[in-house]
Amino acid sequence: MERTTSPSLAARGLSPQAVERSRQKHGSNALTKQGRSGFGKQLLSNFGDPIIKILLAALLLNLLFVFKEQNWFESVGIAIAIFLATFVSTLSEYGSESAFLRLQQEAQALRCRVMREGKIALIPLEEVVVGDLVLLESGERIPADGLLVEGKLAVDQSSLNGESREAQKVPGGAREGWDISRENQLFRGTVVCAGNGLMQVQRVGDSTFYGGMARQMQQDTRQSPLKLRLEQLADTLSRLGFAAAILVALADLLGEVWQLTGFQTPALLSLLSQPPQCLGLLLESLTLAVTVLVVAVPEGLPMMITVVLSSNMRRMLKDHVLVRRLVGIETSGSLNILFTDKTGTLTRGRLQVRELVTGEGGHFASPQSLREHSLPLYRLCFLCGAYNNESTLSGQGQPVGGNATDRALLQFFLTQARQYTAPSPSWRSPFDSRRKFSAVTLRDSGQTLTLVKGAPEQILPGCTQYLSADGSALPFSQEKVRRTWQELTKKAYRVLALAYTPGETGGSTLSGLTFLGLIAIGDTLRPQVKKAVEQVRRAGVQVVMITGDNKDTALAMGEKAGLCRENDRLALTHDELAALADEEVKALLPRLRVVARAMPQDKSRLVTLAQEMGLVAGMTGDGINDAPALKLSDVGFAMGSGAEVAKEAGDIVILDDNFQSIGKAILYGRTIFKSIRKFIVFQLTMNLCAVGVSVLGPFLGVENPITVVQMLWVNIIMDTLAALAYAGEAPLEEYMEEPPKKRDEPIFTSAMLHQVLCMGLYTILLCLAFLKLPLLTQVLPPQQASFYLLTGFFALFIFCGVFNSFNARTERLNLLAHLGKNPRFLFIMVMVGLVQCLLIYRGGSLFRTSPLPLPAFQLVLLLAFSVIPVDFVRKLILRRGPGGRLRRSRSPF
């Protein structure tokens, strides 16, 4: 089609000087983005983590006493743990954000055509200024807000208003105010589906509707469940740590006073009369308290959380899930309710004609079968479907332009459309959302026909007869066709009615019509969607489908997807939802499955109400209109094919637009939460043992059972290596059988406390017994026993930790369950054991070790291995006990 651009308008294209003046006055077309923090600034911000704050406090206290005791190891160890945790976290988030920015840059690399001094110039979107004349054609994205001054366009505005039908844009009309319903107004981010035209730019950059929405997306949202739980854990650990430190300090102080005075009054008075000695005792007790506090803090926890989140982030990318914010992974596992789009997420997003039903009740799955049945009926249906249509065939023979419904119709008649050329229509009435039909008048075989296509509720009342197979017109039964229409709607089909009337009507097209047939258009579910929905539902996550379809079609699709069942199919339309007060919606929300004829504001309202009910709410979306709800939700799943603003608002980008990927994100989130808990059990057990031996050892005459260098190796195991080992835990389908965790459910549970106390206390007793009882002397010559005792203790402590790592890894009685799915765990623990053997036999004076004779080494291994049967008994008792959590496990093995 030739462009009819006015020479006067073209000549008014801006000059370079006018472009610069406009840019200075109105700004550029670049969107203001939330300033991306540099790596250093982002690194500093991660020091605000609640556990990191505890470590910083412990580090500060430890530094106050490091010069007195020369115990630099703890200070250096804590400092390294803090740095590694924050550095790895920053590196992961920075890398993920860089990957996201590359996606955004690809979207921003688009160019548009503008008139500059009467010539067409191809410029980047960001260089468009107010006053520019932009040339638009089918398939192009509108670069700014403006007025259509020439031509005629069909524009897809679904990214703004959620409506699938295209808006017809023509010049003229009211110019006051900005509204997407105005026929002369065009908006940034929308797409031209058909036609061509010339737009004069009125607003650019942040002043556009798109830009204003982008600014709203940069507001902070509420705290993530993981951060909330970590704050609770930090508070609990700090209280326990300070309580233990105070008790130990008091016990040490009273013990020293007892040894010096026996609590005799004269001796007490004598001691109090010597301030330097009293101050020395206080400092020693305070130093011990700080030591206990530092040892008790799980400095490896931030590192582990960072490693497990980062590791799973890379795994998820292979499953087409791009995680923009690390906490979004764990939040996915805590979801209680998920609001999801239908088109493109549950379905393929490609409409297809499923069948054509004639007035006689015949069902035809292809135009060929209709042609074989009735040539007259076929010819008129073909003309109505292929030429009463805003779509056209591309050079490659594919439907382009128009709306999705028109493209599906043209695809249905595609073979015949290539073989047949009808004369140009003499009159056309495009589809209008208010009238809900389109019409066209053309001449075919010497006969003038007016063909009508649209919503059955508009077309059927105007039909007085229907076309039979032999081409004759018979009396029309509206009730029979209406029943067929309802049956098709219940199959989740979008239904159109086709009709015609001889001659030219000049617009009076909805009376005296001859009914041709009903066209059923449907979108197929994505493969595995029903299985994925069932998996998510079994996980206790309520799924609510939000769609623009009518209620019957939406319910039918909900049934196909497994969202709706016979006695569980509550659906509300936008109008019904708007008529309900917030408290009434909250009462219905647990039973809600479908929201039909939905508007963008429904999504934000439902997310807000769900959060007010204490639920962790997720939202999927792809349009600009979805961005507020994506930002507001606890975790926003943006579709990879969606608008840039939507992806900016989301926490996770589903690159393949597939609901099944959302199910994977939930599974990964639950796996991460379990991995964090496993690590906490492992580290707190070792910490408790280290604290217990450090505190009780001096009272039993055992000073410094572990050296500074040995403690460095212990911390490497507890922090870095254990973090890597537990980060590799595989996502198991059985996790999706569990109910979701509450938003404020603590990380550290009573069951975990039970395991930490039982195994920690047992390990303490085992280590102290090893040091004080003559166990080792029975397999060694008496003169060598004391020489090897501390080497044996070092080995015992490490191997107890290694075996306890298997106990903490699973709640099952079978410690090897699913171990093959985490080969990294087994490899790390085997390597720890081998390195420990190397340190025993080659560590020398640096590690204060001496080669243990084989009988002594076997005894150490046997004693360390005893933690496994002891924990087995503990699990068995809990499993058989009343109300025991392990007792309710699906399988003990």
Side-chain angles (χ1 to χ4, degrees):
M1 182 182 293
E2 293 294 328
R3 184 180 299 283
T4 57
T5 302
S6 166
S8 62
L9 276 173
R12 289 203 304 270
L14 299 179
S15 66
Q17 296 79 12
V19 168
E20 187 59 32
R21 286 195 300 270
S22 178
R23 184 174 289 118
Q24 291 177 0
K25 182 177 180 180
H26 301 285
S28 75
N29 198 34
L31 297 177
T32 300
K33 298 184 187 289
Q34 187 173 13
R36 186 191 183 192
S37 300
F39 188 87
K41 187 175 181 181
Q42 200 167 341
L43 179 66
L44 290 176
S45 68
N46 282 332
F47 282 94
D49 181 274
I51 300 294
I52 293 292
K53 289 179 179 178
I54 288 185
L55 292 178
L56 289 171
L59 177 61
L60 179 61
L61 288 173
N62 202 57
L63 286 174
L64 295 176
F65 298 90
V66 67
F67 297 108
K68 177 180 182 298
E69 297 292 324
Q70 297 298 311
N71 186 11
W72 52 267
F73 159 72
E74 285 292 352
S75 299
V76 173
I78 295 174
I80 291 175
I82 292 173
F83 174 76
L84 287 178
T86 52
F87 181 80
V88 174
S89 176
T90 305
L91 191 65
S92 299
E93 290 187 346
Y94 198 81
S96 179
E97 192 65 14
S98 296
F100 173 73
L101 288 177
R102 285 194 293 273
L103 290 178
Q104 298 293 74
Q105 288 168 358
E106 292 175 7
Q108 294 169 358
L110 299 175
R111 294 174 174 264
C112 62
R113 295 166 300 142
V114 300
M115 300 298 300
R116 295 276 173 91
E117 294 187 313
K119 298 180 180 179
I120 297 178
L122 188 65
I123 65 173
L125 295 186
E126 293 186 352
E127 293 185 12
V128 173
V129 298
V130 171
D132 262 330
L133 295 173
V134 181
L135 288 80
L136 297 171
E137 286 187 347
S138 178
E140 292 183 329
R141 189 176 295 273
I142 296 173
D145 291 357
L147 301 176
L148 184 65
V149 293
E150 283 192 1
K152 182 179 179 181
L153 303 174
V155 179
D156 178 3
Q157 299 185 145
S158 60
S159 63
L160 297 181
N161 59 10
E163 297 183 10
S164 59
R165 57 179 178 270
E166 282 75 19
Q168 303 300 318
K169 299 292 184 178
V170 295
R175 298 197 176 195
E176 292 78 16
W178 285 86
D179 190 319
I180 59 175
S181 64
R182 300 278 171 82
E183 293 182 345
N184 69 322
Q185 295 181 354
L186 302 173
F187 294 84
R188 178 172 182 159
T190 58
V191 178
V192 178
C193 296
N196 55 47
L198 191 68
M199 178 186 78
Q200 187 172 42
V201 176
Q202 301 288 309
R203 303 187 302 184
V204 294
D206 293 341
S207 299
T208 62
F209 181 88
Y210 186 104
M213 189 71 72
R215 286 198 312 274
Q216 293 179 27
M217 296 309 99
Q218 296 177 10
Q219 299 172 358
D220 293 332
T221 54
R222 71 172 182 170
Q223 209 173 41
S224 70
L226 179 60
K227 191 168 184 180
L228 181 64
R229 290 162 178 161
L230 287 177
E231 285 187 352
Q232 294 173 342
L233 179 63
D235 182 63
T236 300
L237 292 178
S238 60
R239 290 183 181 183
L240 291 175
F242 279 111
I246 292 172
L247 288 175
V248 168
L250 288 175
D252 179 72
L253 182 61
L254 293 175
E256 291 291 338
V257 172
W258 168 261
Q259 291 181 3
L260 292 174
T261 67
F263 289 138
Q264 299 295 320
T265 303
L268 284 172
L269 293 175
S270 175
L271 179 61
L272 292 174
S273 65
Q274 302 177 44
Q277 188 174 5
C278 292
L279 182 60
L281 292 176
L282 287 173
L283 286 176
E284 288 181 5
S285 298
L286 190 56
T287 302
L288 181 59
V290 171
T291 302
V292 170
L293 181 63
V294 170
V295 174
V297 173
E299 60 264 35
L301 181 57
M303 175 68 180
M304 186 273 166
I305 292 174
T306 299
V307 169
V308 73
L309 290 175
S310 302
S311 174
N312 282 275
M313 181 189 73
R314 291 190 293 273
R315 284 189 193 176
M316 293 173 72
L317 190 58
K318 295 178 181 178
D319 287 328
H320 310 291
V321 180
L322 172 63
V323 180
R324 293 194 57 227
R325 300 178 181 89
L326 289 180
V327 293
I329 313 176
E330 193 279 330
T331 306
S332 300
S334 302
L335 280 181
N336 301 113
I337 187 168
L338 175 65
F339 300 100
T340 179
D341 282 340
K342 175 182 74 72
T343 305
T345 304
L346 296 175
T347 65
R348 292 180 181 272
R350 296 195 296 269
L351 293 178
Q352 292 179 313
V353 175
R354 296 301 175 189
E355 56 183 306
L356 188 154
V357 184
T358 65
E360 294 176 319
H363 292 251
F364 301 93
S366 68
Q368 291 83 358
S369 59
L370 176 63
R371 184 173 187 170
E372 294 170 0
H373 173 73
S374 169
L375 186 60
L377 192 55
Y378 156 76
R379 190 175 188 81
L380 287 168
C381 287
F382 163 69
L383 288 174
C384 192
Y387 294 100
N388 183 9
N389 197 307
E390 293 294 318
S391 297
T392 59
L393 290 177
S394 67
Q396 292 74 35
Q398 295 299 316
V400 294
N403 58 33
T405 301
D406 278 346
R407 292 192 292 273
L409 274 175
L410 193 57
Q411 181 73 44
F412 185 66
F413 292 108
L414 186 61
T415 304
Q416 284 68 33
R418 287 173 175 170
Q419 300 170 351
Y420 180 86
T421 302
S424 299
S426 59
W427 172 81
R428 181 184 294 277
S429 176
F431 178 83
D432 184 277
S433 59
R434 294 184 295 273
R435 294 180 300 145
K436 296 184 179 179
F437 73 91
S438 63
V440 65
T441 298
L442 51 78
R443 288 186 62 81
D444 179 67
S445 301
Q447 182 183 12
T448 300
L449 303 171
T450 297
L451 306 164
V452 184
K453 164 178 63 74
E457 61 265 29
Q458 297 289 5
I459 306 299
L460 296 184
C463 295
T464 57
Q465 51 193 3
Y466 74 91
L467 194 69
S468 65
D470 60 6
S472 60
L474 300 178
F476 179 67
S477 172
Q478 194 173 137
E479 287 302 317
K480 179 181 178 182
V481 176
R482 282 186 177 275
R483 286 195 297 270
T484 303
W485 170 28
Q486 291 173 356
E487 290 172 0
L488 293 174
T489 300
K490 290 179 180 178
K491 293 180 180 179
Y493 293 147
R494 181 181 299 175
V495 182
L496 295 177
L498 307 181
Y500 85 103
T501 185
E504 296 185 12
T505 64
S508 303
T509 57
L510 294 186
S511 61
L513 298 176
T514 300
F515 177 76
L516 296 175
L518 296 176
I519 292 282
I521 302 175
D523 192 2
T524 56
L525 287 175
R526 285 182 176 273
Q528 306 299 320
V529 157
K530 190 169 184 178
K531 180 181 178 182
V533 169
E534 179 59 28
Q535 179 194 42
V536 172
R537 284 172 60 97
R538 285 201 316 270
V541 181
Q542 179 186 348
V543 182
V544 180
M545 183 179 75
I546 300 178
T547 176
D549 291 334
N550 67 48
K551 184 184 286 189
D552 289 338
T553 302
L555 279 170
M557 183 58 72
E559 289 178 356
K560 285 185 176 182
L563 294 172
C564 303
R565 297 172 183 174
E566 186 174 348
N567 299 318
D568 185 17
R569 44 188 290 117
L570 177 62
L572 296 174
T573 64
H574 163 73
D575 293 336
E576 292 170 340
L577 198 61
L580 296 174
D582 286 351
E583 292 305 318
E584 292 175 309
V585 176
K586 289 180 182 179
L588 294 175
L589 191 57
R591 298 189 292 113
L592 185 63
R593 298 293 174 265
V594 171
V595 179
R597 297 298 190 199
M599 301 294 286
Q601 58 267 33
D602 295 331
K603 300 178 180 181
S604 296
R605 184 188 181 197
L606 289 169
V607 168
T608 300
L609 295 178
Q611 290 177 337
E612 289 177 2
M613 295 171 66
L615 303 177
V616 178
M619 169 63 69
T620 72
D622 58 1
I624 301 171
N625 63 302
D626 295 324
L630 287 170
K631 184 70 174 180
L632 185 64
S633 62
D634 292 292
V635 56
F637 297 96
M639 298 299 111
S641 62
E644 287 74 28
V645 169
K647 287 183 277 191
E648 182 72 31
D651 302 291
I652 293 175
V653 180
I654 305 299
L655 298 177
D656 59 356
D657 295 2
N658 197 335
F659 186 87
Q660 192 171 16
S661 297
I662 298 176
K664 292 177 181 177
I666 294 173
L667 177 57
Y668 276 112
R670 295 192 170 189
T671 303
I672 287 169
F673 191 62
K674 285 186 173 291
S675 297
I676 292 172
R677 281 183 161 174
K678 293 173 183 179
F679 176 80
I680 290 174
V681 169
F682 166 75
Q683 192 174 60
L684 289 184
T685 301
M686 289 195 74
N687 278 1
L688 179 59
C689 181
V691 170
V693 172
S694 299
V695 172
L696 297 178
F699 290 99
L700 298 177
V702 180
E703 296 288 344
N704 300 321
I706 297 182
T707 67
V708 169
V709 176
Q710 288 175 345
M711 188 58 76
L712 175 62
W713 170 233
V714 171
N715 272 263
I716 290 175
I717 297 173
M718 287 197 302
D719 299 343
T720 308
L721 297 180
L724 292 172
Y726 286 108
E729 284 296 284
L732 304 178
E733 286 295 326
E734 64 188 56
Y735 298 159
M736 297 296 279
E737 303 286 342
E738 302 174 4
K741 305 293 187 292
K742 293 181 180 179
R743 171 177 161 77
D744 58 350
E745 178 174 326
I747 294 182
F748 196 61
T749 64
S750 57
M752 295 167 64
L753 177 62
H754 185 275
Q755 183 170 0
V756 169
L757 289 178
C758 286
M759 300 314 300
L761 292 175
Y762 173 75
T763 311
I764 291 172
L765 293 175
L766 182 64
C767 290
L768 293 177
F770 181 85
L771 290 170
K772 298 304 294 181
L773 298 179
L775 297 173
L776 204 62
T777 56
Q778 297 178 2
V779 294
L780 290 172
Q783 64 274 18
Q784 294 179 324
S786 59
F787 188 70
Y788 290 109
L789 182 63
L790 293 180
T791 299
F793 171 78
F794 177 43
L796 176 65
F797 185 86
I798 295 298
F799 283 114
C800 279
V802 170
F803 290 126
N804 254 327
S805 69
F806 287 85
N807 291 331
R809 204 194 127 259
T810 179
E811 296 174 342
R812 298 171 182 266
L813 298 179
N814 178 13
L815 300 186
L816 303 181
H818 304 296
L819 184 59
K821 296 180 180 180
N822 185 9
R824 183 196 303 173
F825 180 92
L826 189 59
F827 173 78
I828 288 175
M829 292 307 161
V830 169
M831 291 305 299
V832 168
L834 292 176
V835 171
Q836 181 60 33
C837 292
L838 183 65
L839 295 181
I840 292 172
Y841 291 96
R842 292 290 184 269
S845 59
L846 178 63
F847 282 89
R848 199 186 66 181
T849 58
S850 297
L852 287 176
L854 183 60
F857 184 68
Q858 291 174 335
L859 176 62
V860 167
L861 282 181
L862 181 63
L863 291 174
F865 184 80
S866 67
V867 300
I868 288 182
V870 169
D871 194 59
F872 182 91
V873 173
R874 182 194 66 82
K875 290 177 180 177
L876 201 60
I877 293 173
L878 283 182
R879 188 179 298 277
R880 294 179 177 177
R885 184 165 61 93
L886 293 176
R887 183 172 171 264
R888 296 194 297 270
S889 297
R890 187 175 60 180
S891 168
F893 298 98

